[in-house]
Amino acid sequence: TGGEPAMYNLQPLTDAFKSAGFECNIETSGAYPLTGDFDWVCLSPKKFKPAVDSVYASAHELKVVIYHPSDLAWAEGHAEKVNSNCLLYLQPEWLKAETLQPLIIEYIKQNPHWRLSLQTHKYLGIE
């Protein structure tokens, strides 16, 4: 994790993977236009740099990390921009998960178009 892969021209990389028979998936903040041929695009927007419109249209999955209860409204704003088939996930920020996770679960119960995303590797102690 960390870093923004869409800062780079990924077309040569995805072409090489595709020619070798691999699928190509990406998780991006959406701050840069996508280059390359992707089978699955996870858009995880960040507050400090807005996502470009073209990435919203390409997203198969929207994952919004929740740092504060007010981020739920921010997440809804992003959900309005993706296509109707895009899967919607809310993920509590790891260091605040104990307090935010119950809030997110309650929110999802009231707004079932969202799903819960967890950082499973952190629960398992895998960094």
Side-chain angles (χ1 to χ4, degrees), residues 30-110:
Y32 301 90
L34 289 178
T35 57
D37 182 13
F38 294 98
D39 297 289
W40 190 266
V41 175
C42 174
L43 170 59
S44 185
K46 308 297 182 254
K47 287 186 174 179
F48 58 86
K49 190 153 187 180
V52 296
D53 290 338
S54 61
V55 180
Y56 286 105
S58 301
H60 297 91
E61 172 183 343
L62 172 66
K63 180 186 77 177
V64 181
V65 177
I66 304 299
Y67 295 87
H68 185 272
S70 65
D71 291 340
L72 295 168
W74 187 72
E76 290 291 354
H78 290 286
E80 292 173 2
K81 297 178 183 181
V82 295
N83 68 72
S84 61
N85 295 321
C86 186
L87 300 175
L88 305 176
Y89 291 96
L90 298 172
Q91 182 177 93
E93 194 279 327
W94 176 250
L95 296 176
K96 298 179 177 187
E98 188 174 318
T99 57
L100 289 175
Q101 190 169 309
L103 174 74
I104 291 170
I105 290 170
E106 190 57 38
Y107 187 83
I108 291 170
K109 287 178 183 178
Q110 301 301 314

